[in-house]
Amino acid sequence: MAATGRRENNVDQTVPARAALAEYLRERRRAAGLTYSQMSEVRNGWISKATFERAASGSTVPSWDTVENYILITLTEKDVFGPDVLLTRGHELWVRARRATRAPYYVHTAPDPTLVSDTAGFLRALRHQHVWAGYPSPGEMELTAERGVLPKTTTRRIIAGDTLPVDPPQAIAFLRACYVRGEAEIERWLAAAVRALRDDPARSKHINLWGAARQEAARRAQEEAVASVTPLWEHTQRAA
């Protein structure tokens, strides 16, 4: 199905990271041969033609929901690896675009939890991770967690630097909402929490909970590593 209609304006290059996301989306649409009207029809109009068009303009950062639908609608038979690879790339570009338009100019790298040694450093690292994730709103973050685990009010206080997460589940929920991926990364953050909290008289009484959470994350990280290696080993054996 060939895409038709008026010629698109050039991608707005004012913010390079935002432009990169727009170019990626346009590549997806060209590969699928769809017009924006046809894309909207696939979703029965609940995402409008104008919304899809604006998402690929480079003049704004669309919502992740719009980006995700854009990518899924433009899947083709040539995308042999399925949607996961495309969505991962799209999410990476989306986070970079949000970071470029929301984060302070001086934020150049993700925080390193291995450098955390006290509660002030742990809270500062959590806030830095929130910035690095492109400032997701407390409402967005609450929706990523189980009900009641990451309330907007608590999330606002963590972001503002007024309080630490109350327990490991809340810390993990905060980190995942800030796009910390993989159990190994979660384990590094929980190790930082243990170092930070064990010498804090007001919080060290619950240090066993944090230690247990770290051990569980380490166990899951090992399982995750084995799961990622097994398919490659099986492929190698079949090819031998």
Side-chain angles (χ1 to χ4, degrees), residues 72-144:
L72 292 175
I73 289 169
T74 54
L75 279 173
T76 71
E77 293 180 355
K78 294 182 179 180
D79 297 316
V80 294
F81 294 106
D84 289 349
V85 172
L86 299 174
L87 288 170
T88 296
R89 177 58 177 163
H91 193 268
E92 177 185 336
L93 291 170
W94 178 74
V95 170
R96 288 181 182 179
R98 296 240 303 196
R99 186 184 305 143
T101 54
R102 297 184 178 199
Y105 71 92
Y106 54 80
V107 177
H108 301 298
T109 60
D112 183 353
T114 64
L115 302 179
V116 170
S117 59
D118 55 23
T119 53
F122 184 50
L123 181 55
R124 185 166 53 249
L126 289 172
R127 298 176 68 200
H128 190 166
Q129 181 62 39
H130 177 255
V131 171
W132 187 248
Y135 277 103
S137 72
E140 291 172 327
M141 295 173 71
E142 183 180 37
L143 292 174
T144 66

